[in-house]
Amino acid sequence: MPGSTTSRKFHWVYVLLSLRDRKRYIGYTIDLRNRFEKHRSGKVISTRHRRPLIPIYIEGCLNLEDARRREKYFKTTGGRRFLATRLKIFYKE
């Protein structure tokens, strides 16, 4: 059956906020816990100097292509607007 998740893993698209420079990092992974630990411990070069980081948005996709496309979208002007609207209350706090 198309779309069945019984034996499929999710591909996660996530947004991290740097508490140092208040900028966002957008990525995707199949293992959120491991990836977040790598960010936290400074093993990801692109976020090492921006720690500490907190996850502010997570989406699950059933296949890699959709996750990559969603990540790419979040990095566009339209995607940034979507995230700003979606996280409106978060940014007001």
Side-chain angles (χ1 to χ4, degrees), residues 30-72:
I30 201 163
D31 185 350
L32 274 176
R33 287 178 195 247
N34 183 45
R35 188 66 175 160
F36 286 171
E37 177 57 28
K38 285 183 179 181
H39 283 292
R40 189 197 64 74
S41 63
K43 294 179 181 173
V44 179
I45 293 170
S46 57
T47 59
R48 179 181 301 160
H49 64 285
R50 299 172 64 198
R51 292 178 297 157
L53 301 152
I54 59 168
I56 61 170
Y57 189 78
I58 301 167
E59 268 188 23
C61 299
L62 292 176
N63 63 57
L64 178 60
E65 293 80 17
D66 286 340
R68 284 183 175 168
R69 189 169 36 256
R70 193 66 166 159
E71 179 201 25
K72 189 174 182 178

Side-chain angles (χ1 to χ4, degrees), residues 4-49:
S4 174
T5 60
T6 53
S7 64
R8 300 178 108 180
K9 292 190 177 198
F10 276 95
H11 297 265
W12 300 101
V13 181
Y14 61 92
V15 181
L16 303 176
L17 179 68
S18 167
L19 298 180
R20 179 172 288 185
D21 63 13
R22 305 300 293 176
K23 292 184 181 180
R24 293 179 290 209
Y25 174 86
I26 300 163
Y28 68 91
T29 186
I30 201 163
D31 185 350
L32 274 176
R33 287 178 195 247
N34 183 45
R35 188 66 175 160
F36 286 171
E37 177 57 28
K38 285 183 179 181
H39 283 292
R40 189 197 64 74
S41 63
K43 294 179 181 173
V44 179
I45 293 170
S46 57
T47 59
R48 179 181 301 160
H49 64 285

